[in-house]
Amino acid sequence: MSIKAEHLTYKYGDGTAFEQYALKDVNFEIPDGQFVGLIGHTGSGKSTLIQHLNGLIKPTSGRILYNGTDIHSEGYSLKKLRSKVGLVFQYPEHQLFEIDVFSDVCFGPKNLGFSDEEIKKRAEEALRLVKLDEKFWKQSPFELSGGQKRRVAIAGVLAMGPEVLILDEPTAGLDPRGRDEILDQIRELHDKKGMTIILVSHSMEDIARYADRLMVMNHGEKVFDGAPKDVFEHYKELEAIGLAAPQVTYITHALKEHGVPIGDHITTVEEARDAILKLLNQ
Ligand SMILES: Nc1ncnc2c1ncn2[C@@H]1O[C@H](COP(=O)(O)OP(=O)(O)OP(=O)(O)O)[C@@H](O)[C@H]1O
Ligand SMILES: [Mg+2]
């Protein structure tokens, strides 16, 4: 089971004087349970790409297959797809609108036509999954902190029971603590529920810590796709397209250039700490 993009190409304003390629011949297959980081500078096509994966945007050419079936083939239910492939938009709190948190989270499952009992069960479970304390459930979503609002928005998608969770910069504008909390929760959904995660991020540090796989976009094309550690080896090419490897990669490269026999492939602060301690203890 997987999500697959075949020769995915998309033009905004197709056939007008303003037509512009946002995606060019993008190919990939994401198997069940993978944690994928999607990175690229602004305007590189990340948001356009992920909106194809749940059918919000239809390819100009090429195909999206979910579990082997073209999602735009005749008779395919995009509504059902959207419950299986959940998309959390950038600044999702702008889409909160119900009078209280609980009602907001109920919106998705209600739309899918579940019984009242099932809707309630799903909303409770989703709010517990994102660890939003029960005392907030009857409050207006607008009274919550930025991080809490974000969690309500994620719960709203989780309540639909998705197999794949796609998040467009879920930590944008949060303080470091709010950021870590959200990312740790996403990792838990991946580890404990086996959910496939596609995380759009601007932070190489976050990708290095959380993702199994990193896809890098540049001007609508996929330019790197692999294990984060392998992709970071191309840090010079990443810099050429306005990106960079995690900071700690530069430090370990500099140490090596100065003759310190530190290991290869260090991309997180924890790995650097362990490698340096090992050297000191030798
Ligand atoms: N609604 C639209 N109409 C016309 N062009 C658009 C539209 N949305 C995006 N584009 C263009 O398509 C390209 C890809 O945009 P997209 O929003 O997918 O990039 P992104 O990687 O998500 O950027 P960011 O990091 O800023 O969120 C850009 O050149 C952008 O200007
Ligand atoms: Mg975007």
Side-chain angles (χ1 to χ4, degrees):
M1 295 295 154
S2 68
I3 296 189
K4 193 170 180 187
E6 279 181 358
H7 304 292
L8 179 62
T9 296
Y10 187 74
K11 276 192 262 180
Y12 282 104
D14 196 16
T16 72
F18 303 101
E19 79 173 27
Q20 183 194 4
Y21 278 100
L23 295 172
K24 277 181 244 165
D25 196 24
V26 176
N27 295 279
F28 58 78
E29 180 161 10
I30 298 174
D32 273 351
Q34 205 167 49
F35 194 134
V36 182
L38 182 62
I39 222 162
H41 61 74
T42 178
S44 59
K46 304 178 298 292
S47 297
T48 306
L49 173 59
I50 57 174
Q51 288 175 75
H52 276 87
L53 303 183
N54 76 346
L56 281 176
I57 301 183
K58 196 173 173 192
T60 303
S61 63
R63 303 197 296 168
I64 300 292
L65 297 111
Y66 187 62
N67 296 338
T69 311
D70 182 342
I71 66 168
H72 294 289
S73 57
E74 204 166 314
Y76 195 90
S77 166
L78 287 176
K79 185 170 169 182
K80 205 161 154 203
L81 174 74
R82 285 178 196 140
S83 71
K84 293 296 156 209
V85 180
L87 177 58
V88 181
F89 287 93
Q90 202 168 350
Y91 296 107
E93 58 273 24
H94 295 166
Q95 285 159 37
L96 301 174
F97 62 96
E98 291 281 358
I99 45 171
D100 64 69
V101 165
F102 198 80
S103 312
D104 208 288
V105 177
C106 287
F107 182 79
K110 210 185 243 171
N111 239 346
L112 293 174
F114 290 110
S115 68
D116 286 353
E117 199 185 337
E118 176 71 15
I119 294 168
K120 195 166 156 258
K121 192 177 132 234
R122 282 170 170 252
E124 281 177 11
E125 201 178 287
L127 283 164
R128 294 225 160 82
L129 273 175
V130 299
K131 298 199 174 70
L132 188 79
D133 198 294
E134 218 171 314
K135 69 180 179 217
F136 297 115
W137 293 8
K138 285 291 157 196
Q139 279 192 27
S140 159
F142 304 102
E143 290 164 6
L144 306 180
S145 75
Q148 288 166 338
K149 279 186 207 159
R150 208 68 54 99
R151 280 191 256 168
V152 173
I154 295 173
V157 172
L158 291 177
M160 293 193 274
E163 294 161 350
V164 180
L165 183 64
I166 307 176
L167 304 110
D168 200 348
E169 303 237 25
T171 59
L174 296 184
D175 62 19
R177 186 161 149 230
R179 212 189 64 190
D180 288 350
E181 279 175 6
I182 293 276
L183 290 173
D184 286 340
Q185 270 158 24
I186 294 167
R187 171 142 75 186
E188 233 181 275
L189 289 169
H190 173 256
D191 293 352
K192 294 200 179 143
K193 295 241 146 196
M195 225 175 252
T196 307
I197 307 283
I198 303 174
L199 174 71
V200 176
S201 170
H202 265 115
S203 164
M204 287 295 191
E205 271 74 18
D206 290 349
I207 299 280
R209 259 177 79 191
Y210 294 96
D212 310 317
R213 173 176 177 186
L214 169 57
M215 299 203 287
V216 181
M217 299 295 296
N218 185 41
H219 295 306
E221 290 178 88
K222 190 185 79 175
V223 288
F224 290 106
D225 185 352
K229 285 177 193 311
D230 296 332
V231 175
F232 296 148
E233 286 300 301
H234 300 273
Y235 63 95
K236 294 213 167 83
E237 289 124 293
L238 290 174
E239 281 168 14
I241 57 171
L243 300 169
Q247 293 256 308
V248 69
T249 306
Y250 292 88
I251 297 173
T252 52
H253 276 280
L255 284 171
K256 253 199 288 201
E257 274 165 29
H258 284 82
V260 179
I262 194 164
D264 280 317
H265 281 329
I266 290 171
T267 52
T268 69
V269 173
E270 289 76 18
E271 288 166 0
R273 177 199 60 201
D274 293 348
I276 290 168
L277 282 174
K278 201 170 136 203
L279 284 175
L280 288 174
N281 288 332
Q282 269 169 14

